[in-house]
Amino acid sequence: MAEAQRQRRIVAVRRLSEDQLAALSAIAEVEYFEDVNEANRADFLSALSQAHGLIGGKLQFDEAMLVEASSLQVVSTISVGYDHLPLEAMNRRGILLCNTPDVLTETTADTAFALIMATQRRLVELANLVREGGWRSHIGREHFGFDVHGKTLGIVGAGRIGAAIARRGALGFGMPILYTAASSKPVLEQELGAQRRDLDALLAEADIVCLSVPYNDATHHLIDADALARMKPSAALVNVARGKVVDEPALIEALRCGRIRAAGLDVFAEEPLPADSPLATMDNVVTTPHIGSATHETREAMAQLAVDNLVGALAGSGPLTAVNEDAWRRTVAEAKGV
Ligand code: NAP
């Protein structure tokens, strides 16, 4: 191993393939943690204190840990969302943050659509009826669901994933599309006839409201009791964004009293969802355990992109997909006295 490689250290958290670990090992000494838990936390922190690069998914990484990680230059998260990382503090330190957009967009949109289908057609509730021996005669009105095709789909956050959900809805199911976003989306408007609304108008008009915004201070509890009260009583809420975009107690209350009809949720305020959460057992709620991007193909592609980002940032021409490349380049230039 060349001297530069021997001096460079990477901490990897999350299972990577042999090829991916080999790619990291070619540029640095790698310390590998399949998971970080109470038993190995001290070892992880010790490794982190010397690391130049960190790669992993769902890394719970706070400002205090950043202080300990005095050599850290690059964090490569195996996710597109980075609300679990202290971006402002990383910017101040000039630590590069790489994420994995695009490669998970279509799979996450598939998950959203699975939740849309399941909530409208009551798939889990009725599958359980069969499983539990409750299907004894013809299905009557009390078990009817609601159409998906032709219903108005409201996309809150029409970015990469939101646009992919909108395409499925408009092109596959003939759904009129409404959307919110920080900026207008002329391509979606032209391709799909999508119409931009402010949030209150979208909530009032949509039959299905689908959340695909990033989680940050501005989107914390974006869907609160007031927002839920604006929705149609017949409407369903689908969340593939982050749990805390929704005020969960307010959602539970709205679902209990029929203020909205149903919810399909992939993400929760606390994960794993506590077993005693009402959301786990309500008939009008479909829950999945944060599986938005969780297919073999997509998780592999995400891990590969995260590895390529880290190798590119530490030893190559730069990262492929970074969140704060400008802040990082400024710090690198300052360190070189440029
Ligand atoms: P993206 O391309 O950045 O899209 C985010 C969209 O939200 C953009 O259209 C943005 O508007 C809009 N937006 C931002 N703040 C807003 C606000 N306050 N109100 C309304 N719209 C707002 O991100 P993405 O790749 O689609 O991913 C979106 C999020 O999905 C991620 O941040 C992550 O948390 C979540 N996610 C979850 C899973 C899962 O497993 N369930 C998987 C992948 C991603 P502009 O376009 O105008 O900037």
Side-chain angles (χ1 to χ4, degrees):
M1 194 186 264
E3 191 56 28
Q5 289 158 250
R6 215 184 336 266
Q7 286 170 0
R8 208 183 276 133
R9 303 177 88 90
I10 288 173
V11 172
V13 183
R14 177 73 86 81
R15 190 135 63 92
L16 297 171
S17 72
E18 281 183 19
D19 285 352
Q20 289 160 352
L21 278 174
L24 296 177
S25 300
I27 64 150
E29 282 201 13
V30 180
E31 278 207 68
Y32 178 48
F33 295 81
E34 195 162 323
D35 188 22
V36 177
N37 49 45
E38 283 315 306
N40 66 6
R41 194 164 188 78
D43 290 342
F44 168 71
L45 290 176
S46 162
L48 192 62
S49 69
Q50 299 178 56
H52 303 93
L54 173 65
I55 181 169
K58 304 265 162 60
L59 293 163
Q60 286 309 321
F61 192 80
D62 57 23
E63 271 194 71
M65 288 162 76
L66 205 58
V67 173
E68 298 299 314
S70 56
S71 304
L72 198 60
Q73 296 168 11
V74 183
V75 174
S76 184
T77 182
I78 309 176
S79 62
V80 67
Y82 45 85
D83 45 284
H84 53 300
L85 295 163
L87 180 60
E88 278 184 25
M90 292 170 74
N91 282 341
R92 284 196 297 276
R93 275 267 306 274
I95 295 173
L96 180 68
L97 172 58
C98 306
N99 66 344
T100 60
D102 300 319
V103 290
L104 47 54
T105 294
E106 298 299 329
T107 297
T108 309
D110 286 349
T111 304
F113 233 86
L115 288 170
I116 291 171
M117 298 294 285
T119 49
Q120 290 295 99
R121 300 302 305 272
R122 302 169 60 184
L123 287 184
V124 174
E125 181 191 352
L126 296 178
N128 284 340
L129 181 84
V130 178
R131 185 181 285 250
E132 289 158 9
W135 183 25
R136 297 201 200 88
S137 61
H138 290 302
I139 286 299
R141 293 184 61 82
E142 71 275 21
H143 292 123
F144 289 174
F146 293 86
D147 283 338
V148 175
H149 68 271
K151 290 295 164 87
T152 298
L153 178 58
I155 306 281
V156 178
R160 289 170 291 242
I161 294 168
I165 299 167
R167 283 195 190 93
R168 281 158 176 74
L171 304 177
F173 291 81
M175 301 171 87
I177 305 294
L178 306 177
Y179 75 91
T180 70
S183 54
S184 65
K185 307 293 172 199
V187 174
L188 286 187
E189 293 180 12
Q190 274 161 23
E191 272 181 11
L192 310 179
Q195 295 181 29
R196 191 175 180 198
R197 293 280 190 277
D198 66 29
L199 180 62
D200 287 356
L202 180 147
L203 293 171
E205 287 179 58
D207 297 306
I208 300 152
V209 174
C210 192
L211 307 179
S212 48
V213 279
Y215 176 66
N216 52 40
D217 289 346
T219 59
H220 177 78
H221 287 189
L222 188 67
I223 305 299
D224 59 8
D226 286 347
L228 291 160
R230 289 195 171 85
M231 289 174 64
K232 296 179 184 178
S234 56
L237 179 75
V238 168
N239 188 5
V240 292
R242 286 289 183 263
K244 289 178 185 164
V245 172
V246 177
D247 178 347
E248 219 166 70
L251 174 63
I252 292 167
E253 181 55 25
L255 288 161
R256 261 195 187 129
C257 71
R259 189 63 204 80
I260 67 169
R261 187 181 56 76
L265 307 171
D266 186 47
V267 287
F268 304 89
E270 184 184 342
E271 296 181 3
L273 181 66
D276 62 356
S277 167
L279 294 173
T281 49
M282 294 171 89
D283 275 343
N284 55 347
V285 179
V286 176
T287 55
T288 48
H290 200 149
I291 55 163
S293 63
T295 64
H296 290 286
E297 301 89 336
T298 293
R299 283 292 168 86
E300 169 67 21
M302 290 163 67
Q304 188 60 49
L305 177 53
V307 166
D308 292 345
N309 274 332
L310 187 52
V311 171
L314 282 180
S317 50
L320 298 171
T321 50
V323 174
N324 62 348
E325 197 165 344
D326 289 351
W328 177 66
R329 289 205 184 281
R330 265 198 310 277
T331 311
V332 171
E334 278 164 22
K336 287 181 180 163
V338 179

